[in-house]
Amino acid sequence: MRFSKILKIILFVIFDLLIFVFCGIYMMGYDDFYNESQGEYFSFSSMKTEYKMVWGFYNFWIVLNCLLLFYIIYRVYRKVTLK
Protein backbone atom coordinates (compact mmCIF):
# COMPACT_ATOMS: atom_id res chain seq x y z
CA MET A 1 0.00 0.00 0.00
CA ARG A 2 1.11 3.48 -0.65
CA PHE A 3 1.89 5.86 2.16
CA SER A 4 -0.83 8.29 1.04
CA LYS A 5 -3.47 5.55 1.17
CA ILE A 6 -2.42 4.55 4.67
CA LEU A 7 -2.47 8.20 5.73
CA LYS A 8 -6.01 8.61 4.34
CA ILE A 9 -7.18 5.56 6.29
CA ILE A 10 -5.61 6.84 9.51
CA LEU A 11 -7.16 10.29 9.03
CA PHE A 12 -10.56 8.73 8.33
CA VAL A 13 -10.36 6.64 11.52
CA ILE A 14 -9.34 9.71 13.55
CA PHE A 15 -12.23 11.71 12.03
CA ASP A 16 -14.63 8.88 12.84
CA LEU A 17 -13.46 8.74 16.44
CA LEU A 18 -13.73 12.52 16.75
CA ILE A 19 -17.39 12.32 15.73
CA PHE A 20 -18.02 9.81 18.52
CA VAL A 21 -16.11 11.98 21.01
CA PHE A 22 -18.11 15.05 19.98
CA CYS A 23 -21.42 13.25 20.43
CA GLY A 24 -20.35 11.84 23.79
CA ILE A 25 -19.15 15.17 25.14
CA TYR A 26 -22.24 16.97 23.88
CA MET A 27 -24.53 14.42 25.53
CA MET A 28 -22.74 15.06 28.83
CA GLY A 29 -24.73 18.27 28.93
CA TYR A 30 -27.89 16.17 29.06
CA ASP A 31 -26.47 14.21 32.00
CA ASP A 32 -25.57 17.40 33.84
CA PHE A 33 -28.97 19.06 33.47
CA TYR A 34 -31.27 16.02 33.60
CA ASN A 35 -34.36 16.64 35.71
CA GLU A 36 -36.46 13.69 36.89
CA SER A 37 -39.65 15.71 36.65
CA GLN A 38 -39.30 15.85 32.85
CA GLY A 39 -39.53 12.09 32.35
CA GLU A 40 -37.46 8.93 32.52
CA TYR A 41 -33.72 9.17 32.03
CA PHE A 42 -32.78 9.20 28.34
CA SER A 43 -36.37 9.29 27.11
CA PHE A 44 -37.17 11.74 24.33
CA SER A 45 -39.61 13.56 26.58
CA SER A 46 -36.78 14.48 28.95
CA MET A 47 -34.46 15.75 26.18
CA LYS A 48 -34.22 19.17 24.60
CA THR A 49 -34.34 19.31 20.81
CA GLU A 50 -30.56 19.72 20.53
CA TYR A 51 -29.95 16.50 22.48
CA LYS A 52 -32.52 14.65 20.38
CA MET A 53 -30.67 15.76 17.24
CA VAL A 54 -27.27 14.69 18.59
CA TRP A 55 -28.69 11.35 19.78
CA GLY A 56 -30.26 10.77 16.36
CA PHE A 57 -27.04 11.70 14.58
CA TYR A 58 -25.07 9.40 16.90
CA ASN A 59 -27.30 6.45 16.01
CA PHE A 60 -27.14 7.36 12.31
CA TRP A 61 -23.33 7.45 12.57
CA ILE A 62 -23.30 3.98 14.14
CA VAL A 63 -25.42 2.63 11.26
CA LEU A 64 -23.03 4.21 8.73
CA ASN A 65 -20.07 2.63 10.50
CA CYS A 66 -21.76 -0.78 10.43
CA LEU A 67 -22.48 -0.44 6.71
CA LEU A 68 -18.89 0.58 6.06
CA LEU A 69 -17.62 -2.36 8.10
CA PHE A 70 -19.81 -4.79 6.14
CA TYR A 71 -18.59 -3.25 2.88
CA ILE A 72 -14.94 -3.66 3.93
CA ILE A 73 -15.56 -7.27 4.99
CA TYR A 74 -17.28 -7.93 1.65
CA ARG A 75 -14.36 -6.41 -0.30
CA VAL A 76 -11.81 -8.48 1.64
CA TYR A 77 -13.93 -11.62 1.15
CA ARG A 78 -14.10 -11.01 -2.62
CA LYS A 79 -10.35 -10.44 -2.82
CA VAL A 80 -9.61 -13.63 -0.88
CA THR A 81 -12.04 -15.78 -2.84
CA LEU A 82 -10.87 -14.53 -6.24
CA LYS A 83 -7.26 -15.50 -5.58
Side-chain angles (χ1 to χ4, degrees):
M1 287 175 84
R2 300 173 118 181
F3 177 74
S4 64
K5 195 170 188 179
I6 293 173
L7 183 63
K8 286 180 186 177
I9 292 170
I10 291 172
L11 288 175
F12 180 77
V13 168
I14 290 172
F15 174 73
D16 189 53
L17 291 174
L18 285 175
I19 295 293
F20 281 111
V21 168
F22 168 77
C23 290
I25 290 174
Y26 200 86
M27 289 305 289
M28 282 181 180
Y30 171 76
D31 289 336
D32 292 341
F33 299 110
Y34 169 68
N35 187 355
E36 290 181 9
S37 65
Q38 295 175 340
E40 284 189 34
Y41 181 73
F42 238 77
S43 66
F44 273 155
S45 63
S46 67
M47 288 185 189
K48 293 181 184 176
T49 304
E50 59 197 43
Y51 298 124
K52 290 177 187 178
M53 290 173 50
V54 172
W55 182 245
F57 177 74
Y58 173 75
N59 287 311
F60 174 71
W61 197 253
I62 289 175
V63 170
L64 282 180
N65 275 282
C66 289
L67 291 174
L68 180 64
L69 180 65
F70 288 136
Y71 177 72
I72 291 171
I73 290 171
Y74 172 73
R75 292 283 305 255
V76 169
Y77 174 75
R78 280 194 53 200
K79 261 189 177 177
V80 169
T81 57
L82 292 177
K83 283 188 177 182

